[in-house]
Amino acid sequence: MEKFKLYDAEYKFTSIIWDNEPINSTKLVRLCADKLGWKKSTTYTVLKKLCDRGILQNQDAVVTALVKREDVQKYESNTVVEKSFDGSLPKFLTAFLDERKITEKEAEELKKIIEEAVK
Amino acid sequence: MEKFKLYDAEYKFTSIIWDNEPINSTKLVRLCADKLGWKKSTTYTVLKKLCDRGILQNQDAVVTALVKREDVQKYESNTVVEKSFDGSLPKFLTAFLDERKITEKEAEELKKIIEEAVK
DNA sequence: AAGTATGGTTTATCCAGATAGACCTAAGGG
DNA sequence: CCCTTAGGTCTATCTGGATAAACCATACTT
């Protein structure tokens, strides 16, 4: 699943694409200049790298994503739980919610998500 | 909270200390050679850096942690949710639990943790 | 014909994380 | 006295992520 590993800059960049795909490459250059402060060549360099890795696609100046945001998110969530929490979701939740208060409504939403996962 | 940011190698290293503190520095060198394959100088270099950053402490050859594992975990969990999930815990949970099944008992444990956080 | 915008590649720089080699001092043992 | 061990610093190398400069070809505009 190393396919879904995105570094910080790559993630921000890919996010822009997810939000705007399909997007013309020149427009993407402008967007990145705007949102990330990148020069044209930077955008093309990163774009090419991600295309080579099979994460993005650039065909006839139209850029699209080959992997879904959800897949990367899934990878991210699993990675952090594994790496920092012994693979334990309860440990993760405990750490995240420590000193953090949520409303009844938010709690309901979370519980619903959990119940959906019960086999 | 940048204080709690640990890079991969630093995290593994600090984990060893959390598991063994207080620990004599020479023993730590041996442990790291064993578990991480590090040379003595590598251990001391990383140790010094983390001491400078106020994360560890090395006094009279006794190494201890100044920040708790829980604090780093809290930072990690918050960071990933912010960076990859718009700060939304439900989004995180959904991604994590996607295609993953949990038992009734695990669900109960999770719900309990959630209820504790309701203000 | 000259200028300009589009779409892109190749190569390079810079910096930081990861790792280690060389070297140093003080204390204790034979 | 020499040697070893403990405890540690300073400096260096290697690698990869982040960013960009320079350069190029094609097509459209004036």
PDB file of all heavy atoms in Angstrom, chain B residues 83-104:
ATOM      1  N   LYS B  83      -4.637  17.465   9.328  1.00  0.00           N
ATOM      2  CA  LYS B  83      -3.966  17.529   8.030  1.00  0.00           C
ATOM      3  C   LYS B  83      -4.695  16.761   6.934  1.00  0.00           C
ATOM      4  O   LYS B  83      -4.777  17.207   5.800  1.00  0.00           O
ATOM      5  CB  LYS B  83      -2.539  16.987   8.158  1.00  0.00           C
ATOM      6  CG  LYS B  83      -1.494  17.827   7.454  1.00  0.00           C
ATOM      7  CD  LYS B  83      -0.193  17.038   7.280  1.00  0.00           C
ATOM      8  CE  LYS B  83      -0.382  15.765   6.511  1.00  0.00           C
ATOM      9  NZ  LYS B  83       0.832  14.955   6.338  1.00  0.00           N
ATOM     10  N   SER B  84      -5.239  15.625   7.298  1.00  0.00           N
ATOM     11  CA  SER B  84      -5.806  14.779   6.257  1.00  0.00           C
ATOM     12  C   SER B  84      -7.318  14.655   6.294  1.00  0.00           C
ATOM     13  O   SER B  84      -7.917  14.084   5.397  1.00  0.00           O
ATOM     14  CB  SER B  84      -5.196  13.370   6.339  1.00  0.00           C
ATOM     15  OG  SER B  84      -3.802  13.427   6.190  1.00  0.00           O
ATOM     16  N   PHE B  85      -7.937  15.170   7.350  1.00  0.00           N
ATOM     17  CA  PHE B  85      -9.387  14.970   7.478  1.00  0.00           C
ATOM     18  C   PHE B  85     -10.141  16.245   7.821  1.00  0.00           C
ATOM     19  O   PHE B  85     -11.195  16.183   8.456  1.00  0.00           O
ATOM     20  CB  PHE B  85      -9.660  13.884   8.524  1.00  0.00           C
ATOM     21  CG  PHE B  85      -9.096  12.543   8.143  1.00  0.00           C
ATOM     22  CD1 PHE B  85      -7.815  12.172   8.528  1.00  0.00           C
ATOM     23  CD2 PHE B  85      -9.830  11.666   7.366  1.00  0.00           C
ATOM     24  CE1 PHE B  85      -7.281  10.943   8.153  1.00  0.00           C
ATOM     25  CE2 PHE B  85      -9.313  10.432   6.999  1.00  0.00           C
ATOM     26  CZ  PHE B  85      -8.032  10.076   7.393  1.00  0.00           C
ATOM     27  N   ASP B  86      -9.567  17.377   7.458  1.00  0.00           N
ATOM     28  CA  ASP B  86     -10.266  18.646   7.724  1.00  0.00           C
ATOM     29  C   ASP B  86     -10.595  18.823   9.191  1.00  0.00           C
ATOM     30  O   ASP B  86     -11.572  19.512   9.528  1.00  0.00           O
ATOM     31  CB  ASP B  86     -11.595  18.694   6.963  1.00  0.00           C
ATOM     32  CG  ASP B  86     -11.376  18.922   5.495  1.00  0.00           C
ATOM     33  OD1 ASP B  86     -10.400  19.606   5.156  1.00  0.00           O
ATOM     34  OD2 ASP B  86     -12.188  18.418   4.698  1.00  0.00           O
ATOM     35  N   GLY B  87      -9.848  18.172  10.053  1.00  0.00           N
ATOM     36  CA  GLY B  87     -10.133  18.306  11.476  1.00  0.00           C
ATOM     37  C   GLY B  87     -11.357  17.526  11.927  1.00  0.00           C
ATOM     38  O   GLY B  87     -11.795  17.657  13.062  1.00  0.00           O
ATOM     39  N   SER B  88     -11.875  16.719  11.044  1.00  0.00           N
ATOM     40  CA  SER B  88     -13.105  15.990  11.367  1.00  0.00           C
ATOM     41  C   SER B  88     -12.834  14.562  11.858  1.00  0.00           C
ATOM     42  O   SER B  88     -12.392  13.706  11.091  1.00  0.00           O
ATOM     43  CB  SER B  88     -14.008  15.946  10.131  1.00  0.00           C
ATOM     44  OG  SER B  88     -14.913  14.867  10.228  1.00  0.00           O
ATOM     45  N   LEU B  89     -13.135  14.319  13.093  1.00  0.00           N
ATOM     46  CA  LEU B  89     -12.957  12.978  13.642  1.00  0.00           C
ATOM     47  C   LEU B  89     -13.876  11.954  12.960  1.00  0.00           C
ATOM     48  O   LEU B  89     -13.447  10.840  12.667  1.00  0.00           O
ATOM     49  CB  LEU B  89     -13.185  12.986  15.158  1.00  0.00           C
ATOM     50  CG  LEU B  89     -13.027  11.640  15.864  1.00  0.00           C
ATOM     51  CD1 LEU B  89     -11.648  11.055  15.635  1.00  0.00           C
ATOM     52  CD2 LEU B  89     -13.302  11.777  17.362  1.00  0.00           C
ATOM     53  N   PRO B  90     -15.127  12.306  12.705  1.00  0.00           N
ATOM     54  CA  PRO B  90     -15.982  11.368  11.977  1.00  0.00           C
ATOM     55  C   PRO B  90     -15.374  10.938  10.642  1.00  0.00           C
ATOM     56  O   PRO B  90     -15.422   9.760  10.284  1.00  0.00           O
ATOM     57  CB  PRO B  90     -17.269  12.164  11.762  1.00  0.00           C
ATOM     58  CG  PRO B  90     -17.307  13.108  12.901  1.00  0.00           C
ATOM     59  CD  PRO B  90     -15.889  13.477  13.185  1.00  0.00           C
ATOM     60  N   LYS B  91     -14.794  11.874   9.924  1.00  0.00           N
ATOM     61  CA  LYS B  91     -14.174  11.514   8.655  1.00  0.00           C
ATOM     62  C   LYS B  91     -13.028  10.535   8.878  1.00  0.00           C
ATOM     63  O   LYS B  91     -12.837   9.587   8.111  1.00  0.00           O
ATOM     64  CB  LYS B  91     -13.639  12.766   7.937  1.00  0.00           C
ATOM     65  CG  LYS B  91     -14.717  13.586   7.261  1.00  0.00           C
ATOM     66  CD  LYS B  91     -14.116  14.743   6.457  1.00  0.00           C
ATOM     67  CE  LYS B  91     -15.189  15.741   6.039  1.00  0.00           C
ATOM     68  NZ  LYS B  91     -14.612  16.987   5.474  1.00  0.00           N
ATOM     69  N   PHE B  92     -12.276  10.803   9.906  1.00  0.00           N
ATOM     70  CA  PHE B  92     -11.169   9.895  10.217  1.00  0.00           C
ATOM     71  C   PHE B  92     -11.691   8.496  10.511  1.00  0.00           C
ATOM     72  O   PHE B  92     -11.243   7.502   9.946  1.00  0.00           O
ATOM     73  CB  PHE B  92     -10.374  10.415  11.425  1.00  0.00           C
ATOM     74  CG  PHE B  92      -9.305   9.463  11.880  1.00  0.00           C
ATOM     75  CD1 PHE B  92      -8.007   9.572  11.412  1.00  0.00           C
ATOM     76  CD2 PHE B  92      -9.603   8.437  12.772  1.00  0.00           C
ATOM     77  CE1 PHE B  92      -7.025   8.665  11.805  1.00  0.00           C
ATOM     78  CE2 PHE B  92      -8.627   7.531  13.172  1.00  0.00           C
ATOM     79  CZ  PHE B  92      -7.336   7.654  12.681  1.00  0.00           C
ATOM     80  N   LEU B  93     -12.638   8.433  11.395  1.00  0.00           N
ATOM     81  CA  LEU B  93     -13.203   7.145  11.793  1.00  0.00           C
ATOM     82  C   LEU B  93     -13.774   6.384  10.605  1.00  0.00           C
ATOM     83  O   LEU B  93     -13.564   5.181  10.461  1.00  0.00           O
ATOM     84  CB  LEU B  93     -14.309   7.366  12.816  1.00  0.00           C
ATOM     85  CG  LEU B  93     -13.971   7.111  14.277  1.00  0.00           C
ATOM     86  CD1 LEU B  93     -15.239   7.100  15.099  1.00  0.00           C
ATOM     87  CD2 LEU B  93     -13.205   5.801  14.448  1.00  0.00           C
ATOM     88  N   THR B  94     -14.477   7.100   9.787  1.00  0.00           N
ATOM     89  CA  THR B  94     -15.069   6.473   8.607  1.00  0.00           C
ATOM     90  C   THR B  94     -13.993   5.855   7.727  1.00  0.00           C
ATOM     91  O   THR B  94     -14.110   4.713   7.290  1.00  0.00           O
ATOM     92  CB  THR B  94     -15.859   7.521   7.806  1.00  0.00           C
ATOM     93  OG1 THR B  94     -16.865   8.063   8.650  1.00  0.00           O
ATOM     94  CG2 THR B  94     -16.509   6.883   6.590  1.00  0.00           C
ATOM     95  N   ALA B  95     -12.942   6.619   7.503  1.00  0.00           N
ATOM     96  CA  ALA B  95     -11.855   6.112   6.663  1.00  0.00           C
ATOM     97  C   ALA B  95     -11.192   4.911   7.314  1.00  0.00           C
ATOM     98  O   ALA B  95     -10.936   3.892   6.669  1.00  0.00           O
ATOM     99  CB  ALA B  95     -10.825   7.206   6.415  1.00  0.00           C
ATOM    100  N   PHE B  96     -10.952   5.032   8.587  1.00  0.00           N
ATOM    101  CA  PHE B  96     -10.250   3.943   9.278  1.00  0.00           C
ATOM    102  C   PHE B  96     -11.066   2.661   9.298  1.00  0.00           C
ATOM    103  O   PHE B  96     -10.549   1.569   9.097  1.00  0.00           O
ATOM    104  CB  PHE B  96      -9.925   4.354  10.721  1.00  0.00           C
ATOM    105  CG  PHE B  96      -9.139   3.306  11.457  1.00  0.00           C
ATOM    106  CD1 PHE B  96      -7.759   3.273  11.364  1.00  0.00           C
ATOM    107  CD2 PHE B  96      -9.773   2.338  12.227  1.00  0.00           C
ATOM    108  CE1 PHE B  96      -7.016   2.305  12.021  1.00  0.00           C
ATOM    109  CE2 PHE B  96      -9.038   1.355  12.894  1.00  0.00           C
ATOM    110  CZ  PHE B  96      -7.660   1.340  12.783  1.00  0.00           C
ATOM    111  N   LEU B  97     -12.349   2.801   9.542  1.00  0.00           N
ATOM    112  CA  LEU B  97     -13.190   1.615   9.694  1.00  0.00           C
ATOM    113  C   LEU B  97     -13.694   1.048   8.374  1.00  0.00           C
ATOM    114  O   LEU B  97     -14.312  -0.013   8.346  1.00  0.00           O
ATOM    115  CB  LEU B  97     -14.377   1.932  10.606  1.00  0.00           C
ATOM    116  CG  LEU B  97     -14.005   2.180  12.071  1.00  0.00           C
ATOM    117  CD1 LEU B  97     -15.220   2.631  12.862  1.00  0.00           C
ATOM    118  CD2 LEU B  97     -13.407   0.913  12.703  1.00  0.00           C
ATOM    119  N   ASP B  98     -13.397   1.751   7.306  1.00  0.00           N
ATOM    120  CA  ASP B  98     -13.864   1.287   6.009  1.00  0.00           C
ATOM    121  C   ASP B  98     -13.362  -0.125   5.729  1.00  0.00           C
ATOM    122  O   ASP B  98     -12.174  -0.406   5.806  1.00  0.00           O
ATOM    123  CB  ASP B  98     -13.361   2.237   4.924  1.00  0.00           C
ATOM    124  CG  ASP B  98     -13.886   1.839   3.561  1.00  0.00           C
ATOM    125  OD1 ASP B  98     -15.087   1.562   3.456  1.00  0.00           O
ATOM    126  OD2 ASP B  98     -13.074   1.798   2.609  1.00  0.00           O
ATOM    127  N   GLU B  99     -14.272  -0.986   5.413  1.00  0.00           N
ATOM    128  CA  GLU B  99     -13.934  -2.375   5.101  1.00  0.00           C
ATOM    129  C   GLU B  99     -13.300  -3.111   6.268  1.00  0.00           C
ATOM    130  O   GLU B  99     -12.667  -4.147   6.098  1.00  0.00           O
ATOM    131  CB  GLU B  99     -12.973  -2.446   3.910  1.00  0.00           C
ATOM    132  CG  GLU B  99     -13.653  -2.163   2.598  1.00  0.00           C
ATOM    133  CD  GLU B  99     -12.635  -2.135   1.459  1.00  0.00           C
ATOM    134  OE1 GLU B  99     -11.639  -2.843   1.564  1.00  0.00           O
ATOM    135  OE2 GLU B  99     -12.854  -1.387   0.502  1.00  0.00           O
ATOM    136  N   ARG B 100     -13.434  -2.537   7.435  1.00  0.00           N
ATOM    137  CA  ARG B 100     -12.844  -3.170   8.597  1.00  0.00           C
ATOM    138  C   ARG B 100     -13.982  -3.511   9.553  1.00  0.00           C
ATOM    139  O   ARG B 100     -14.853  -2.695   9.818  1.00  0.00           O
ATOM    140  CB  ARG B 100     -11.884  -2.171   9.249  1.00  0.00           C
ATOM    141  CG  ARG B 100     -11.084  -2.726  10.400  1.00  0.00           C
ATOM    142  CD  ARG B 100     -10.351  -1.586  11.075  1.00  0.00           C
ATOM    143  NE  ARG B 100      -9.217  -1.114  10.280  1.00  0.00           N
ATOM    144  CZ  ARG B 100      -7.947  -1.475  10.536  1.00  0.00           C
ATOM    145  NH1 ARG B 100      -7.687  -2.278  11.534  1.00  0.00           N
ATOM    146  NH2 ARG B 100      -6.970  -0.998   9.809  1.00  0.00           N
ATOM    147  N   LYS B 101     -13.952  -4.720  10.039  1.00  0.00           N
ATOM    148  CA  LYS B 101     -15.036  -5.121  10.926  1.00  0.00           C
ATOM    149  C   LYS B 101     -14.542  -5.214  12.360  1.00  0.00           C
ATOM    150  O   LYS B 101     -13.424  -5.622  12.617  1.00  0.00           O
ATOM    151  CB  LYS B 101     -15.589  -6.481  10.482  1.00  0.00           C
ATOM    152  CG  LYS B 101     -16.370  -6.385   9.181  1.00  0.00           C
ATOM    153  CD  LYS B 101     -17.537  -5.409   9.314  1.00  0.00           C
ATOM    154  CE  LYS B 101     -18.146  -5.042   7.969  1.00  0.00           C
ATOM    155  NZ  LYS B 101     -18.936  -3.798   8.061  1.00  0.00           N
ATOM    156  N   ILE B 102     -15.396  -4.815  13.281  1.00  0.00           N
ATOM    157  CA  ILE B 102     -15.007  -4.897  14.681  1.00  0.00           C
ATOM    158  C   ILE B 102     -16.060  -5.717  15.436  1.00  0.00           C
ATOM    159  O   ILE B 102     -17.172  -5.904  14.956  1.00  0.00           O
ATOM    160  CB  ILE B 102     -14.876  -3.498  15.322  1.00  0.00           C
ATOM    161  CG1 ILE B 102     -16.220  -2.764  15.253  1.00  0.00           C
ATOM    162  CG2 ILE B 102     -13.799  -2.697  14.618  1.00  0.00           C
ATOM    163  CD1 ILE B 102     -16.166  -1.395  15.877  1.00  0.00           C
ATOM    164  N   THR B 103     -15.690  -6.180  16.597  1.00  0.00           N
ATOM    165  CA  THR B 103     -16.635  -6.988  17.376  1.00  0.00           C
ATOM    166  C   THR B 103     -17.517  -6.081  18.232  1.00  0.00           C
ATOM    167  O   THR B 103     -17.205  -4.905  18.456  1.00  0.00           O
ATOM    168  CB  THR B 103     -15.903  -7.962  18.313  1.00  0.00           C
ATOM    169  OG1 THR B 103     -15.214  -7.181  19.310  1.00  0.00           O
ATOM    170  CG2 THR B 103     -14.898  -8.812  17.549  1.00  0.00           C
ATOM    171  N   GLU B 104     -18.581  -6.667  18.699  1.00  0.00           N
ATOM    172  CA  GLU B 104     -19.505  -5.950  19.588  1.00  0.00           C
ATOM    173  C   GLU B 104     -18.749  -5.375  20.788  1.00  0.00           C
ATOM    174  O   GLU B 104     -18.980  -4.249  21.219  1.00  0.00           O
ATOM    175  CB  GLU B 104     -20.583  -6.940  20.055  1.00  0.00           C
ATOM    176  CG  GLU B 104     -21.771  -6.283  20.735  1.00  0.00           C
ATOM    177  CD  GLU B 104     -22.629  -5.509  19.730  1.00  0.00           C
ATOM    178  OE1 GLU B 104     -23.101  -6.101  18.739  1.00  0.00           O
ATOM    179  OE2 GLU B 104     -22.805  -4.301  19.957  1.00  0.00           O
TER     180      GLU B 104
END
